[in-house]
mmCIF file of all heavy atoms in Angstrom:
data_model
loop_
_atom_site.group_PDB
_atom_site.id
_atom_site.type_symbol
_atom_site.label_atom_id
_atom_site.label_comp_id
_atom_site.label_asym_id
_atom_site.label_seq_id
_atom_site.Cartn_x
_atom_site.Cartn_y
_atom_site.Cartn_z
ATOM 1 N N PRO A 80 0.817 -1.226 0.000
ATOM 2 C CA PRO A 80 0.000 0.000 0.000
ATOM 3 C C PRO A 80 0.851 1.277 0.000
ATOM 4 O O PRO A 80 0.874 2.034 0.970
ATOM 5 C CB PRO A 80 -0.807 -0.130 1.296
ATOM 6 C CG PRO A 80 0.116 -0.873 2.218
ATOM 7 C CD PRO A 80 0.870 -1.848 1.344
ATOM 8 N N TYR A 81 1.507 1.546 -1.123
ATOM 9 C CA TYR A 81 2.432 2.677 -1.182
ATOM 10 C C TYR A 81 1.754 4.013 -0.882
ATOM 11 O O TYR A 81 2.312 4.853 -0.159
ATOM 12 C CB TYR A 81 3.095 2.748 -2.569
ATOM 13 C CG TYR A 81 4.161 1.696 -2.779
ATOM 14 C CD1 TYR A 81 3.913 0.576 -3.571
ATOM 15 C CD2 TYR A 81 5.415 1.829 -2.185
ATOM 16 C CE1 TYR A 81 4.896 -0.397 -3.764
ATOM 17 C CE2 TYR A 81 6.402 0.869 -2.385
ATOM 18 C CZ TYR A 81 6.134 -0.240 -3.169
ATOM 19 O OH TYR A 81 7.105 -1.196 -3.351
ATOM 20 N N GLU A 82 0.569 4.245 -1.422
ATOM 21 C CA GLU A 82 -0.105 5.527 -1.191
ATOM 22 C C GLU A 82 -0.486 5.693 0.270
ATOM 23 O O GLU A 82 -0.371 6.794 0.834
ATOM 24 C CB GLU A 82 -1.341 5.644 -2.091
ATOM 25 C CG GLU A 82 -1.014 5.795 -3.565
ATOM 26 C CD GLU A 82 -2.258 6.087 -4.400
ATOM 27 O OE1 GLU A 82 -3.306 6.438 -3.817
ATOM 28 O OE2 GLU A 82 -2.165 5.960 -5.632
ATOM 29 N N ILE A 83 -0.942 4.620 0.894
ATOM 30 C CA ILE A 83 -1.283 4.683 2.321
ATOM 31 C C ILE A 83 -0.044 4.970 3.150
ATOM 32 O O ILE A 83 -0.068 5.783 4.081
ATOM 33 C CB ILE A 83 -1.948 3.365 2.769
ATOM 34 C CG1 ILE A 83 -3.316 3.213 2.103
ATOM 35 C CG2 ILE A 83 -2.090 3.318 4.289
ATOM 36 C CD1 ILE A 83 -3.970 1.867 2.356
ATOM 37 N N VAL A 84 1.063 4.309 2.830
ATOM 38 C CA VAL A 84 2.320 4.529 3.551
ATOM 39 C C VAL A 84 2.769 5.980 3.401
ATOM 40 O O VAL A 84 3.211 6.617 4.368
ATOM 41 C CB VAL A 84 3.406 3.558 3.054
ATOM 42 C CG1 VAL A 84 4.779 3.948 3.590
ATOM 43 C CG2 VAL A 84 3.072 2.128 3.470
ATOM 44 N N ALA A 85 2.642 6.524 2.190
ATOM 45 C CA ALA A 85 3.033 7.918 1.976
ATOM 46 C C ALA A 85 2.174 8.858 2.818
ATOM 47 O O ALA A 85 2.685 9.833 3.405
ATOM 48 C CB ALA A 85 2.902 8.271 0.496
ATOM 49 N N LYS A 86 0.886 8.568 2.906
ATOM 50 C CA LYS A 86 -0.006 9.403 3.723
ATOM 51 C C LYS A 86 0.361 9.291 5.208
ATOM 52 O O LYS A 86 0.346 10.285 5.935
ATOM 53 C CB LYS A 86 -1.458 8.997 3.494
ATOM 54 C CG LYS A 86 -1.993 9.377 2.120
ATOM 55 C CD LYS A 86 -3.416 8.863 1.895
ATOM 56 C CE LYS A 86 -3.921 9.225 0.511
ATOM 57 N NZ LYS A 86 -5.285 8.691 0.234
ATOM 58 N N MET A 87 0.678 8.072 5.662
ATOM 59 C CA MET A 87 1.089 7.906 7.054
ATOM 60 C C MET A 87 2.381 8.666 7.323
ATOM 61 O O MET A 87 2.581 9.220 8.411
ATOM 62 C CB MET A 87 1.258 6.426 7.391
ATOM 63 C CG MET A 87 -0.043 5.652 7.417
ATOM 64 S SD MET A 87 0.089 4.037 8.246
ATOM 65 C CE MET A 87 1.258 3.193 7.180
ATOM 66 N N GLY A 88 3.275 8.692 6.329
ATOM 67 C CA GLY A 88 4.507 9.459 6.479
ATOM 68 C C GLY A 88 4.225 10.933 6.639
ATOM 69 O O GLY A 88 4.818 11.600 7.504
ATOM 70 N N ARG A 89 3.310 11.453 5.820
ATOM 71 C CA ARG A 89 2.977 12.877 5.922
ATOM 72 C C ARG A 89 2.284 13.205 7.240
ATOM 73 O O ARG A 89 2.386 14.334 7.740
ATOM 74 C CB ARG A 89 2.095 13.292 4.734
ATOM 75 C CG ARG A 89 2.819 13.287 3.394
ATOM 76 C CD ARG A 89 2.021 13.987 2.313
ATOM 77 N NE ARG A 89 0.833 13.247 1.914
ATOM 78 C CZ ARG A 89 0.814 12.329 0.950
ATOM 79 N NH1 ARG A 89 1.923 12.022 0.300
ATOM 80 N NH2 ARG A 89 -0.328 11.726 0.631
ATOM 81 N N MET A 90 1.600 12.224 7.822
ATOM 82 C CA MET A 90 0.960 12.419 9.127
ATOM 83 C C MET A 90 1.968 12.390 10.266
ATOM 84 O O MET A 90 1.647 12.745 11.401
ATOM 85 C CB MET A 90 -0.082 11.327 9.365
ATOM 86 C CG MET A 90 -1.308 11.429 8.471
ATOM 87 S SD MET A 90 -2.371 9.954 8.626
ATOM 88 C CE MET A 90 -2.921 10.081 10.338
ATOM 89 N N GLY A 91 3.182 11.924 9.983
ATOM 90 C CA GLY A 91 4.218 11.850 11.015
ATOM 91 C C GLY A 91 4.214 10.562 11.805
ATOM 92 O O GLY A 91 4.913 10.456 12.817
ATOM 93 N N LEU A 92 3.458 9.545 11.345
ATOM 94 C CA LEU A 92 3.335 8.324 12.139
ATOM 95 C C LEU A 92 4.658 7.561 12.238
ATOM 96 O O LEU A 92 4.938 6.939 13.268
ATOM 97 C CB LEU A 92 2.251 7.408 11.556
ATOM 98 C CG LEU A 92 0.834 7.980 11.499
ATOM 99 C CD1 LEU A 92 -0.168 6.903 11.067
ATOM 100 C CD2 LEU A 92 0.421 8.580 12.851
ATOM 101 N N PHE A 93 5.480 7.588 11.187
ATOM 102 C CA PHE A 93 6.757 6.868 11.234
ATOM 103 C C PHE A 93 7.775 7.552 12.146
ATOM 104 O O PHE A 93 8.761 6.933 12.538
ATOM 105 C CB PHE A 93 7.335 6.723 9.822
ATOM 106 C CG PHE A 93 6.633 5.704 8.974
ATOM 107 C CD1 PHE A 93 5.621 6.086 8.100
ATOM 108 C CD2 PHE A 93 6.966 4.363 9.058
ATOM 109 C CE1 PHE A 93 4.948 5.148 7.319
ATOM 110 C CE2 PHE A 93 6.300 3.417 8.284
ATOM 111 C CZ PHE A 93 5.297 3.810 7.419
ATOM 112 N N GLY A 94 7.514 8.807 12.487
ATOM 113 C CA GLY A 94 8.442 9.528 13.353
ATOM 114 C C GLY A 94 7.944 9.729 14.767
ATOM 115 O O GLY A 94 8.561 10.462 15.550
ATOM 116 N N LEU A 95 6.837 9.073 15.126
ATOM 117 C CA LEU A 95 6.191 9.344 16.411
ATOM 118 C C LEU A 95 7.126 9.303 17.618
ATOM 119 O O LEU A 95 7.127 10.234 18.428
ATOM 120 C CB LEU A 95 5.019 8.369 16.627
ATOM 121 C CG LEU A 95 3.708 8.732 15.936
ATOM 122 C CD1 LEU A 95 2.691 7.606 16.062
ATOM 123 C CD2 LEU A 95 3.139 10.022 16.516
ATOM 124 N N PRO A 96 7.952 8.248 17.817
ATOM 125 C CA PRO A 96 8.712 8.172 19.064
ATOM 126 C C PRO A 96 10.107 8.788 19.002
ATOM 127 O O PRO A 96 10.872 8.660 19.956
ATOM 128 C CB PRO A 96 8.818 6.661 19.284
ATOM 129 C CG PRO A 96 8.952 6.115 17.906
ATOM 130 C CD PRO A 96 8.111 7.018 17.021
ATOM 131 N N PHE A 97 10.429 9.447 17.909
ATOM 132 C CA PHE A 97 11.786 9.942 17.720
ATOM 133 C C PHE A 97 11.874 11.451 17.940
ATOM 134 O O PHE A 97 10.909 12.179 17.705
ATOM 135 C CB PHE A 97 12.300 9.577 16.324
ATOM 136 C CG PHE A 97 12.207 8.107 16.025
ATOM 137 C CD1 PHE A 97 11.368 7.631 15.023
ATOM 138 C CD2 PHE A 97 12.929 7.192 16.772
ATOM 139 C CE1 PHE A 97 11.269 6.280 14.759
ATOM 140 C CE2 PHE A 97 12.835 5.832 16.520
ATOM 141 C CZ PHE A 97 12.004 5.373 15.511
ATOM 142 N N SER A 98 13.031 11.909 18.375
ATOM 143 C CA SER A 98 13.187 13.326 18.703
ATOM 144 C C SER A 98 13.144 14.188 17.443
ATOM 145 O O SER A 98 13.479 13.741 16.342
ATOM 146 C CB SER A 98 14.499 13.560 19.458
ATOM 147 O OG SER A 98 15.601 13.171 18.669
ATOM 148 N N GLU A 99 12.751 15.424 17.619
ATOM 149 C CA GLU A 99 12.558 16.331 16.504
ATOM 150 C C GLU A 99 13.859 16.639 15.775
ATOM 151 O O GLU A 99 13.844 16.937 14.572
ATOM 152 C CB GLU A 99 11.901 17.621 17.000
ATOM 153 C CG GLU A 99 10.481 17.408 17.530
ATOM 154 C CD GLU A 99 9.855 18.683 18.068
ATOM 155 O OE1 GLU A 99 10.459 19.760 17.867
ATOM 156 O OE2 GLU A 99 8.785 18.598 18.689
ATOM 157 N N GLU A 100 14.992 16.557 16.463
ATOM 158 C CA GLU A 100 16.263 16.886 15.808
ATOM 159 C C GLU A 100 16.602 15.921 14.680
ATOM 160 O O GLU A 100 17.413 16.234 13.803
ATOM 161 C CB GLU A 100 17.410 16.914 16.823
ATOM 162 C CG GLU A 100 17.718 15.581 17.471
ATOM 163 C CD GLU A 100 18.930 15.668 18.389
ATOM 164 O OE1 GLU A 100 19.970 16.221 17.975
ATOM 165 O OE2 GLU A 100 18.820 15.181 19.538
ATOM 166 N N TYR A 101 15.973 14.734 14.688
ATOM 167 C CA TYR A 101 16.205 13.771 13.616
ATOM 168 C C TYR A 101 14.990 13.641 12.689
ATOM 169 O O TYR A 101 14.880 12.688 11.924
ATOM 170 C CB TYR A 101 16.549 12.399 14.205
ATOM 171 C CG TYR A 101 17.772 12.419 15.084
ATOM 172 C CD1 TYR A 101 17.678 12.104 16.446
ATOM 173 C CD2 TYR A 101 19.014 12.776 14.578
ATOM 174 C CE1 TYR A 101 18.795 12.134 17.256
ATOM 175 C CE2 TYR A 101 20.145 12.812 15.390
ATOM 176 C CZ TYR A 101 20.025 12.491 16.731
ATOM 177 O OH TYR A 101 21.135 12.535 17.540
ATOM 178 N N GLY A 102 14.077 14.589 12.788
ATOM 179 C CA GLY A 102 12.900 14.579 11.919
ATOM 180 C C GLY A 102 11.690 13.894 12.519
ATOM 181 O O GLY A 102 10.676 13.712 11.828
ATOM 182 N N GLY A 103 11.768 13.520 13.802
ATOM 183 C CA GLY A 103 10.666 12.843 14.452
ATOM 184 C C GLY A 103 9.635 13.798 15.014
ATOM 185 O O GLY A 103 9.737 15.022 14.877
ATOM 186 N N MET A 104 8.646 13.222 15.691
ATOM 187 C CA MET A 104 7.546 14.008 16.244
ATOM 188 C C MET A 104 7.721 14.319 17.721
ATOM 189 O O MET A 104 6.898 15.006 18.314
ATOM 190 C CB MET A 104 6.221 13.255 16.035
ATOM 191 C CG MET A 104 5.874 12.984 14.570
ATOM 192 S SD MET A 104 5.560 14.496 13.641
ATOM 193 C CE MET A 104 3.980 14.977 14.337
ATOM 194 N N GLY A 105 8.760 13.755 18.339
ATOM 195 C CA GLY A 105 9.021 14.039 19.745
ATOM 196 C C GLY A 105 8.058 13.374 20.702
ATOM 197 O O GLY A 105 7.915 13.803 21.849
ATOM 198 N N GLY A 106 7.379 12.305 20.252
ATOM 199 C CA GLY A 106 6.431 11.607 21.109
ATOM 200 C C GLY A 106 7.082 10.467 21.860
ATOM 201 O O GLY A 106 8.284 10.473 22.113
ATOM 202 N N ASP A 107 6.287 9.471 22.214
ATOM 203 C CA ASP A 107 6.812 8.338 22.961
ATOM 204 C C ASP A 107 6.331 7.032 22.339
ATOM 205 O O ASP A 107 5.598 7.024 21.351
ATOM 206 C CB ASP A 107 6.422 8.409 24.449
ATOM 207 C CG ASP A 107 4.911 8.493 24.662
ATOM 208 O OD1 ASP A 107 4.157 7.992 23.805
ATOM 209 O OD2 ASP A 107 4.481 9.064 25.687
ATOM 210 N N PHE A 108 6.759 5.918 22.926
ATOM 211 C CA PHE A 108 6.451 4.617 22.345
ATOM 212 C C PHE A 108 4.974 4.266 22.484
ATOM 213 O O PHE A 108 4.428 3.551 21.641
ATOM 214 C CB PHE A 108 7.312 3.534 23.001
ATOM 215 C CG PHE A 108 7.439 2.291 22.166
ATOM 216 C CD1 PHE A 108 8.279 2.266 21.071
ATOM 217 C CD2 PHE A 108 6.713 1.147 22.464
ATOM 218 C CE1 PHE A 108 8.402 1.126 20.284
ATOM 219 C CE2 PHE A 108 6.825 0.003 21.692
ATOM 220 C CZ PHE A 108 7.667 0.002 20.598
ATOM 221 N N LEU A 109 4.316 4.777 23.518
ATOM 222 C CA LEU A 109 2.884 4.529 23.661
ATOM 223 C C LEU A 109 2.113 5.136 22.496
ATOM 224 O O LEU A 109 1.112 4.568 22.045
ATOM 225 C CB LEU A 109 2.366 5.087 24.984
ATOM 226 C CG LEU A 109 0.862 4.896 25.245
ATOM 227 C CD1 LEU A 109 0.478 3.420 25.223
ATOM 228 C CD2 LEU A 109 0.460 5.534 26.578
ATOM 229 N N ALA A 110 2.590 6.260 21.982
ATOM 230 C CA ALA A 110 1.930 6.883 20.835
ATOM 231 C C ALA A 110 1.932 5.938 19.642
ATOM 232 O O ALA A 110 0.934 5.818 18.917
ATOM 233 C CB ALA A 110 2.623 8.204 20.479
ATOM 234 N N VAL A 111 3.058 5.246 19.422
ATOM 235 C CA VAL A 111 3.138 4.266 18.340
ATOM 236 C C VAL A 111 2.108 3.162 18.567
ATOM 237 O O VAL A 111 1.401 2.740 17.643
ATOM 238 C CB VAL A 111 4.549 3.666 18.243
ATOM 239 C CG1 VAL A 111 4.621 2.630 17.117
ATOM 240 C CG2 VAL A 111 5.582 4.749 18.018
ATOM 241 N N CYS A 112 2.027 2.678 19.798
ATOM 242 C CA CYS A 112 1.100 1.594 20.124
ATOM 243 C C CYS A 112 -0.351 2.008 19.885
ATOM 244 O O CYS A 112 -1.153 1.227 19.351
ATOM 245 C CB CYS A 112 1.292 1.156 21.571
ATOM 246 S SG CYS A 112 2.902 0.378 21.901
ATOM 247 N N VAL A 113 -0.688 3.215 20.280
ATOM 248 C CA VAL A 113 -2.055 3.722 20.071
ATOM 249 C C VAL A 113 -2.375 3.758 18.582
ATOM 250 O O VAL A 113 -3.469 3.355 18.146
ATOM 251 C CB VAL A 113 -2.204 5.118 20.705
ATOM 252 C CG1 VAL A 113 -3.504 5.783 20.259
ATOM 253 C CG2 VAL A 113 -2.158 5.013 22.231
ATOM 254 N N ALA A 114 -1.420 4.230 17.774
ATOM 255 C CA ALA A 114 -1.631 4.284 16.327
ATOM 256 C C ALA A 114 -1.774 2.882 15.743
ATOM 257 O O ALA A 114 -2.639 2.638 14.880
ATOM 258 C CB ALA A 114 -0.469 5.026 15.666
ATOM 259 N N LEU A 115 -0.944 1.956 16.198
ATOM 260 C CA LEU A 115 -1.009 0.587 15.691
ATOM 261 C C LEU A 115 -2.349 -0.070 16.007
ATOM 262 O O LEU A 115 -2.919 -0.780 15.164
ATOM 263 C CB LEU A 115 0.125 -0.244 16.289
ATOM 264 C CG LEU A 115 1.530 0.077 15.803
ATOM 265 C CD1 LEU A 115 2.562 -0.666 16.636
ATOM 266 C CD2 LEU A 115 1.682 -0.268 14.328
ATOM 267 N N GLU A 116 -2.853 0.150 17.214
ATOM 268 C CA GLU A 116 -4.134 -0.448 17.576
ATOM 269 C C GLU A 116 -5.243 0.034 16.648
ATOM 270 O O GLU A 116 -6.045 -0.773 16.162
ATOM 271 C CB GLU A 116 -4.483 -0.133 19.038
ATOM 272 C CG GLU A 116 -5.806 -0.755 19.447
ATOM 273 C CD GLU A 116 -6.217 -0.449 20.888
ATOM 274 O OE1 GLU A 116 -5.347 -0.065 21.702
ATOM 275 O OE2 GLU A 116 -7.415 -0.601 21.200
ATOM 276 N N GLU A 117 -5.275 1.331 16.375
ATOM 277 C CA GLU A 117 -6.342 1.864 15.534
ATOM 278 C C GLU A 117 -6.215 1.400 14.091
ATOM 279 O O GLU A 117 -7.218 1.102 13.429
ATOM 280 C CB GLU A 117 -6.363 3.394 15.606
ATOM 281 C CG GLU A 117 -6.790 3.938 16.962
ATOM 282 C CD GLU A 117 -8.157 3.411 17.389
ATOM 283 O OE1 GLU A 117 -9.055 3.311 16.525
ATOM 284 O OE2 GLU A 117 -8.325 3.114 18.583
ATOM 285 N N LEU A 118 -5.003 1.307 13.571
ATOM 286 C CA LEU A 118 -4.812 0.816 12.206
ATOM 287 C C LEU A 118 -5.234 -0.640 12.084
ATOM 288 O O LEU A 118 -5.895 -1.041 11.123
ATOM 289 C CB LEU A 118 -3.357 0.976 11.786
ATOM 290 C CG LEU A 118 -2.866 2.402 11.516
ATOM 291 C CD1 LEU A 118 -1.355 2.402 11.322
ATOM 292 C CD2 LEU A 118 -3.556 3.001 10.289
ATOM 293 N N ALA A 119 -4.838 -1.451 13.084
ATOM 294 C CA ALA A 119 -5.123 -2.891 13.016
ATOM 295 C C ALA A 119 -6.602 -3.198 13.202
ATOM 296 O O ALA A 119 -7.042 -4.293 12.844
ATOM 297 C CB ALA A 119 -4.294 -3.640 14.062
ATOM 298 N N ARG A 120 -7.383 -2.272 13.734
ATOM 299 C CA ARG A 120 -8.834 -2.474 13.799
ATOM 300 C C ARG A 120 -9.421 -2.579 12.402
ATOM 301 O O ARG A 120 -10.491 -3.160 12.211
ATOM 302 C CB ARG A 120 -9.507 -1.321 14.552
ATOM 303 C CG ARG A 120 -9.314 -1.357 16.050
ATOM 304 C CD ARG A 120 -9.938 -0.161 16.736
ATOM 305 N NE ARG A 120 -11.407 -0.223 16.759
ATOM 306 C CZ ARG A 120 -12.170 0.627 17.449
ATOM 307 N NH1 ARG A 120 -11.596 1.590 18.163
ATOM 308 N NH2 ARG A 120 -13.473 0.509 17.430
ATOM 309 N N VAL A 121 -8.698 -2.035 11.421
ATOM 310 C CA VAL A 121 -9.142 -2.061 10.022
ATOM 311 C C VAL A 121 -8.309 -3.023 9.196
ATOM 312 O O VAL A 121 -8.834 -3.813 8.417
ATOM 313 C CB VAL A 121 -9.098 -0.643 9.419
ATOM 314 C CG1 VAL A 121 -9.332 -0.676 7.915
ATOM 315 C CG2 VAL A 121 -10.122 0.257 10.100
#
């Protein structure tokens, strides 16, 4: 699903737990888990 992956990239999902200095969103690992749960519901 290349288009879906590109959209997730633009949403910042791949950078959720990483610091902003490396292009991340500055979040934490729980944020990744929350996103994964909602995606896997579909």
Side-chain angles (χ1 to χ4, degrees):
Y81 285 104
E82 291 187 14
I83 293 173
V84 169
K86 289 176 181 178
M87 291 196 297
R89 291 193 290 271
M90 291 171 65
L92 299 187
F93 286 95
L95 278 172
F97 306 115
S98 60
E99 295 178 9
E100 65 176 312
Y101 301 117
M104 300 294 289
D107 57 28
F108 201 76
L109 180 59
V111 179
C112 294
V113 168
L115 289 171
E116 181 181 341
E117 292 304 320
L118 288 171
R120 285 177 73 171
V121 171

